[in-house]
Amino acid sequence: MVEVAIYAITPRNSRGRACREAPPVGRSEFQRDRDRIIHSTAFRRLEYKTQVFVNHEGDLFRTRLTHSLEVAQIARSVARNLRLNEDLVEAISLAHDLGHTPFGHAGQDALHDCMKAHGGFEHNLQSLRVVDLLEQRYAAFDGLNLCFETREGILKHCALKNARLLGDVGARFIKRQRPSLEAQLANVADEIAYNNHDVDDGLRSGLLTVEQLGSIGIFSRHMKEVRQEHPRIDARRLVHETVRRMIGTLVIDLTRQSEKNIKAHPLRSIDDVRAAPALIAFSPAIQREQQELKKFLSLNLYRHHQVARMTNKARRVVHDLFQAFFREPQLMPPQYHAAATADTARTVADYIAGMTDRYAIREYRRLFAVDEI
Ligand code: MG
């Protein structure tokens, strides 16, 4: 393994785990975190949860599982170049979406709506709740007992009122400090991954066209380059080659600009990283292009009428499931009954958030279709 930089997180400068454990044998603390995440139930469920498209719409679209793997791949490449802790970056990337509801943002919005009077629902907080509490597979503790830095990286954003309830991982939001560079990196890698795969999935689904994307700087620049080098390239390869080059450009730009930012700040410790502004960032020109692409996707893909029709259905499924379980917690599987007595709304939210797209649809049918058992 490459020697990490002085500003990287290591098992030596880590704040450790809430529940003390013997040091791992043959792997680092952060490799252990990654391994626990991969073996969790919530991680396996990512395979059947979606970002933009519903899981049954097509086998080639990204799911949250393949998305998380792409985030980890991008983040690890940059981490190695910046001499950051690759294992930590990988652990955060693989865990960052564990708390997502079924049906992507539509599901999250619907669940938040149902939970308004009960403290709300936020997928970042839920991801933390999964690794801190909801996974129940170890004899000595609830959750996965991950290192502080992995948990801190999972909690990307958080409202101040929630931060106050979260103890150690919430403190930085109150002090207005930054998380580790590894956490910052996983966050930007997430953005690189979804912007690019949404272009790819958007084109494959036919909801976006190459002509439309021709007006977007970063796409048209790279597409032109591919066409010049390969004038007879077919349509599918043109898209792949363009997206591939876009990711390459973003990764290189992110590496160079972050290197520059790190050099401009004398970082001697993790505390210096926390006190500095966000250092893992694109150059201003690329940042502008990313904003342009994001805006385009939001207008043309996330609000496309076909996506909106699906979103509408998803909202209804989540909403109706919540109401039914909230009124009658006994309708949930028995393992939820004890927790539901203590806090009905939060337990129902945990149950629904844990569902995959297809499980939620099946559960909806089982509850509301009279001819289903
Ligand atoms: Mg993500």
Side-chain angles (χ1 to χ4, degrees):
M1 198 182 142
V2 201
E3 185 70 35
V4 296
I6 195 163
Y7 43 77
I9 300 284
T10 67
R12 279 182 305 283
N13 64 28
S14 165
R15 293 194 204 169
R17 304 172 191 277
C19 178
R20 276 186 76 109
E21 290 185 65
V25 178
R27 54 179 176 168
S28 76
E29 293 285 1
F30 296 106
Q31 284 174 325
R32 171 147 77 178
D33 279 7
R34 175 207 54 204
D35 299 348
R36 286 184 178 178
I37 291 159
I38 289 178
H39 288 275
S40 70
T41 307
F43 186 73
R44 281 194 297 283
R45 286 180 179 151
L46 294 176
E47 183 175 1
Y48 303 104
K49 290 192 182 197
T50 45
Q51 301 255 110
V52 179
F53 301 89
V54 171
N55 191 245
H56 59 253
E57 284 182 307
D59 289 346
L60 293 177
F61 296 122
R62 266 65 172 193
T63 65
R64 290 217 179 261
L65 179 63
T66 56
H67 162 71
S68 301
L69 296 175
E70 290 180 24
V71 175
Q73 180 273 316
I74 291 167
R76 286 182 61 185
S77 299
V78 180
R80 188 171 292 204
N81 290 331
L82 296 177
R83 292 195 300 132
L84 295 177
N85 187 326
E86 215 178 307
D87 300 328
L88 171 57
V89 153
E90 185 181 18
I92 297 171
S93 302
L94 294 177
H96 85 282
D97 269 355
L98 289 179
H100 265 286
T101 60
F103 314 124
H105 294 289
Q108 130 103 23
D109 292 348
L111 197 49
H112 178 63
D113 214 44
C114 298
M115 286 294 287
K116 252 191 191 145
H118 314 281
F121 179 88
E122 217 271 290
H123 64 84
N124 268 304
L125 280 173
Q126 191 68 11
S127 297
L128 192 65
R129 201 169 151 77
V130 167
V131 301
D132 280 356
L133 189 72
L134 297 179
E135 282 288 326
Q136 298 189 342
R137 32 198 327 119
Y138 296 88
F141 44 78
D142 282 339
L144 306 178
N145 196 33
L146 301 180
C147 293
F148 170 82
E149 292 75 13
T150 310
R151 299 172 55 239
E152 169 195 60
I154 292 172
L155 191 66
K156 271 195 278 193
H157 327 277
C158 157
L160 271 187
K161 74 170 171 31
N162 291 324
R164 289 194 194 98
L165 305 172
L166 287 172
D168 56 358
V169 276
R172 77 172 172 92
F173 296 96
I174 298 161
K175 293 191 218 153
R176 298 186 176 280
Q177 289 189 329
R178 252 58 52 200
S180 68
L181 294 176
E182 285 83 354
Q184 295 179 33
L185 172 55
N187 194 10
V188 185
D190 184 22
E191 192 183 317
I192 296 179
Y194 66 66
N195 280 334
N196 285 287
H197 64 50
D198 287 352
V199 166
D200 188 35
D201 284 349
L203 287 168
R204 181 182 300 108
S205 64
L207 299 186
L208 298 179
T209 63
V210 169
E211 290 68 38
Q212 266 179 312
L213 274 155
S215 65
I216 301 305
I218 192 162
F219 187 88
S220 67
R221 199 150 57 78
H222 290 91
M223 187 170 67
K224 220 178 268 166
E225 192 186 278
V226 178
R227 275 196 170 129
Q228 263 161 15
E229 287 173 31
H230 305 277
R232 284 146 53 135
I233 193 164
D234 66 62
R236 269 320 300 165
R237 270 187 217 241
L238 173 66
V239 171
H240 286 309
E241 192 65 34
T242 304
V243 171
R244 177 179 88 81
R245 289 175 191 220
M246 275 162 53
I247 296 176
T249 296
L250 293 170
V251 165
I252 292 167
D253 181 81
L254 182 66
T255 308
R256 288 199 184 134
Q257 184 64 43
S258 304
E259 252 167 7
K260 229 192 255 175
N261 295 347
I262 290 168
K263 269 197 197 121
H265 286 81
L267 302 175
R268 278 173 303 266
S269 69
I270 301 310
D271 291 338
D272 290 345
V273 169
R274 296 185 188 285
L279 299 175
I280 304 296
F282 294 119
S283 64
I286 290 284
Q287 181 61 33
R288 272 194 300 277
E289 279 191 341
Q290 281 292 92
Q291 283 309 113
E292 184 194 22
L293 176 61
K294 254 186 176 174
K295 211 163 138 201
F296 170 87
L297 286 171
S298 157
L299 279 173
N300 297 287
L301 182 62
Y302 311 145
R303 281 187 234 163
H304 191 287
H305 78 275
Q306 261 169 269
V307 174
R309 287 167 69 112
M310 183 280 284
T311 304
N312 179 52
K313 246 191 269 181
R315 213 179 288 135
R316 172 139 185 201
V317 170
V318 169
H319 184 264
D320 290 358
L321 285 178
F322 186 90
Q323 293 311 326
F325 294 132
F326 186 65
R327 262 185 238 128
E328 236 176 299
Q330 298 297 315
L331 295 175
M332 287 189 287
Q335 66 266 35
Y336 291 92
H337 294 177
T341 312
D343 187 343
T344 312
R346 188 57 59 191
T347 308
V348 173
D350 286 340
Y351 179 43
I352 293 177
M355 293 179 183
T356 60
D357 295 3
R358 58 184 191 172
Y359 184 88
I361 293 168
R362 238 183 273 150
E363 194 67 337
Y364 184 85
R365 267 198 218 119
R366 280 194 291 252
L367 279 178
F368 299 110
V370 279
D371 54 348
E372 290 265 338
I373 317 165

